[in-house]
Amino acid sequence: MITDPTTQSNYWEITTKHAHFDWDIDWKRRILSGSVTHTLISKKESPTEVIFDTQALDIKGASVNGFPVQYELRPTHPVMGSAMVIKLESAGAIASEAEIVVKIDYSTTAQCPALGWLEKESLAPLQDSPSVKLTYSASVRSSLPALCSALRVSPPSESSHGGKKVGEDVVEYKYNQPIAIPSYLIALASGNLVYKPFPKLQHEAWTTGVWAEPETIEAAYWEFHKDTAYYVATAEKLVTPYEFGVYDLLVLPPAFPYGGMRVLQGALHGALERDFSYIIGKKSLDDALKQYTEKRKYQRLVIPYTYGEDPDDAYSTVPYEKGSNFLLYLERQLGGLDIFLPYIRDYVQTFRGKSIRTDDWKEHIFKYFEANGGKEKLDILNAVDYEAWLHGEGLELPVAIKYDTTLAQQSYDLAEKWDKSRETKDPSTLNFSEGDLKPLSSNQIVVFLETLQGLSSPLPAGHLRHMSKTYTVFNTTTNVEIRSPWYILALASGAASDFVRDASEWVVGNDGTGVKGRMKFCRPIFRAIYAVDVSLARDTFKSNRQLFHPIAAKLIAKDLELPS
């Protein structure tokens, strides 16, 4: 049997079906305490033990079917933490498919890596593998509003802290998640948060809205209220009905390390926008592939992890961008979006609520197109080089993918104009102005900057200084999507010393714009600073490490060759 090499649990012998969390949030001590009750299903006759993954938890006790039992915490693995082993003798003879209830009392500690105060994900003894999908419920008592990745049972979302005084009165929040999800999607966020619902679409059972701090709720509402429900409704039409009932957004503090993914551009904005999004993604993919030239297996779509290897080390845009290009290639080979979307719907319906491996996906796509296309489609699928796409390494895609460059052309033209000007010794005489950027959207400006990054040789230092003076927005904008590629460009040039200190102040928020905790931005910027000034990069990070989420801090430390 092939098992997940990143978990110490024995999920293939006995698997969590449902987990109930009973939590108290102690804001003064910064501790989450309580219990998790697992309803498990035996996958074999007479399992002798159940093993959970834990990480820096203070375990208080355990019981099986209501009876206290002894447990063992094995030595801490540097990546996977401590395996918690609970013997099942007290449960008697356990038949295959029988249910067992295991309750564990525990509290978090300061060392918990998934626990970041102000934006914290739940941490508990779990079978930490995407091979396990479970439903869950939660009761959370807190003096500040508490949110879970589940349906709220009580109090109502529109009721601010159940009518009690925020920050003083303790309120119990109850949640239920009836859809089976992997453990990494079990999340808890608590803080001074308020809710504002978005306009409801007619004939839709689900609702949408946004949670944010009181100071930012109106800006967050303005940003998202027009599009969110439309996105959900469009996704429903393309793929499958939305069954979670609520689609609420949570605006997290800037230290949170992860961001969103690309929406369905083709359906929402048209084919040109879709191809433009691939152009942006391709640059991100190129950068990620270059990052792993010394760890080439991380350039693969299917990574052969060894037991206990840290999957965070491989976290990048490779699976997203290389994977999306693979699907785009298959879509075009098989006849286009109109042919491919029905397959996507069937895929979702076939594997809804399940965990699958690559071979399951491949078997399904062949079966689907055999039934919906016959020999012609099978011949196309058989001609695909799956080994190259799934297991191939290197800096290039197995097949060159062409995109419609219509929306990128203005960006390319402006970059070409700058490139051709490099022989001019006095760049102040060049015909560039702030107005060059006015016709460009934010994404087009990003493409302009990234095109310059890809030149065979950097622009002369004087040209970068002139660009900084001409396009002053690059040094002042609060749009991190623009500021980040600008600093990457500037720090790779001969003028790097002019910008390296500004970049170091910006990434940690010392310029008043807030810490850039999202790893899409902070890791490349720190690496760029490190390439220019090792001491500045390390000192800046060490002085501000506490501002970053523990996962981001661990990976930045590795980038800067510091102890993690």
Side-chain angles (χ1 to χ4, degrees), residues 14-16 18-21 35-41 49-52 61-71 84-88 90-91 94 99-105 125 127:
I14 183 168
T15 305
T16 299
H18 180 85
H20 176 73
F21 303 96
S35 65
V36 56
T37 302
H38 290 269
T39 301
L40 298 120
I41 302 295
E49 62 188 14
V50 58
I51 306 174
F52 297 103
S63 65
V64 175
N65 290 341
F67 295 96
V69 295
Q70 297 296 312
Y71 61 88
M84 182 180 184
V85 183
I86 300 175
K87 298 296 183 181
L88 298 175
S90 63
I94 301 172
E99 286 193 2
I100 305 100
V101 177
V102 173
K103 182 181 179 183
I104 303 166
D105 297 299
Q127 295 175 317

Side-chain angles (χ1 to χ4, degrees), residues 205-407:
W206 42 263
T207 61
T208 60
V210 63
W211 292 89
E213 293 172 301
E215 297 82 0
T216 59
I217 187 65
E218 292 303 325
Y221 178 85
W222 179 88
E223 183 74 28
F224 299 114
H225 78 281
K226 287 185 178 180
D227 294 331
T228 302
Y230 170 56
Y231 284 1
V232 177
T234 302
E236 276 196 315
K237 292 176 184 176
L238 293 175
V239 184
T240 187
Y242 184 70
E243 58 186 350
F244 288 87
V246 171
Y247 191 93
D248 284 345
L249 308 179
L250 170 61
V251 178
L252 289 162
F256 196 72
Y258 303 105
M261 301 178 192
R262 183 185 303 150
V263 296
L264 299 168
Q265 294 283 359
L268 295 171
H269 303 298
L272 291 180
E273 283 282 357
R274 187 173 186 234
D275 274 31
F276 185 59
S277 74
Y278 273 101
I279 291 171
I280 296 172
K282 184 59 168 59
K283 177 59 168 65
S284 175
L285 173 61
D286 291 344
D287 291 343
L289 293 172
K290 290 174 184 175
Q291 179 186 338
Y292 293 124
T293 51
E294 296 183 4
K295 294 183 179 180
R296 290 172 59 86
K297 73 175 185 177
Y298 292 165
Q299 297 171 334
R300 303 183 186 189
L301 274 180
V302 180
I303 299 172
Y305 288 108
T306 57
Y307 182 76
E309 187 173 358
D310 192 347
D312 283 340
D313 288 345
Y315 179 78
S316 73
T317 60
V318 170
Y320 303 105
E321 301 299 343
K322 193 172 186 178
S324 66
N325 274 277
F326 182 30
L327 291 177
L328 179 62
Y329 168 72
L330 290 174
E331 171 196 313
R332 290 177 175 179
Q333 295 297 106
L334 289 162
L337 197 58
D338 290 342
I339 301 294
F340 208 65
L341 274 177
Y343 153 71
I344 294 294
R345 294 189 194 101
D346 192 80
Y347 168 85
V348 172
Q349 292 301 321
T350 300
F351 296 116
R352 174 190 172 276
K354 300 176 183 177
S355 295
I356 69 169
R357 302 181 66 85
T358 304
D359 289 344
D360 299 319
W361 163 79
K362 188 176 177 182
E363 180 182 356
H364 172 262
I365 194 171
F366 270 81
K367 282 185 176 180
Y368 175 85
F369 281 105
E370 181 179 23
N372 297 272
K375 184 178 183 302
E376 176 192 354
K377 300 303 183 188
L378 289 180
D379 287 345
I380 292 171
L381 289 173
N382 280 315
V384 174
D385 189 345
Y386 297 96
E387 178 65 26
W389 276 105
L390 299 173
H391 307 286
E393 301 170 355
L395 301 181
E396 301 294 334
L397 292 172
V399 177
I401 307 293
K402 293 184 178 180
Y403 316 110
D404 189 313
T405 61
T406 300
L407 294 181

Side-chain angles (χ1 to χ4, degrees), residues 19-38:
H20 176 73
F21 303 96
D22 192 78
W23 284 320
D24 289 281
I25 299 177
D26 186 331
W27 285 95
K28 290 184 179 179
R29 297 168 61 210
R30 292 195 166 192
I31 286 177
L32 182 71
S33 62
S35 65
V36 56
T37 302
H38 290 269

Side-chain angles (χ1 to χ4, degrees), residues 418 421-430 432 458-471 486 489-490 492-499:
W418 275 94
S421 74
R422 65 172 63 242
E423 299 303 324
T424 302
K425 292 185 178 180
D426 183 2
S428 65
T429 63
L430 295 171
F432 293 109
L459 288 176
H463 282 61
L464 263 296
R465 296 186 186 102
H466 182 62
M467 185 180 294
S468 175
K469 294 176 182 177
T470 303
Y471 304 151
W486 161 244
L489 174 67
S493 75
S497 59
D498 291 33
F499 301 99

Side-chain angles (χ1 to χ4, degrees), residues 40 43 212 262 327 332 445 476 487 491 504 512 536 542 557:
L40 298 120
K43 309 305 290 186
R262 183 185 303 150
L327 291 177
R332 290 177 175 179
I445 293 174
T476 59
Y487 282 134
L491 296 183
S504 68
L536 178 62
K542 287 189 287 188

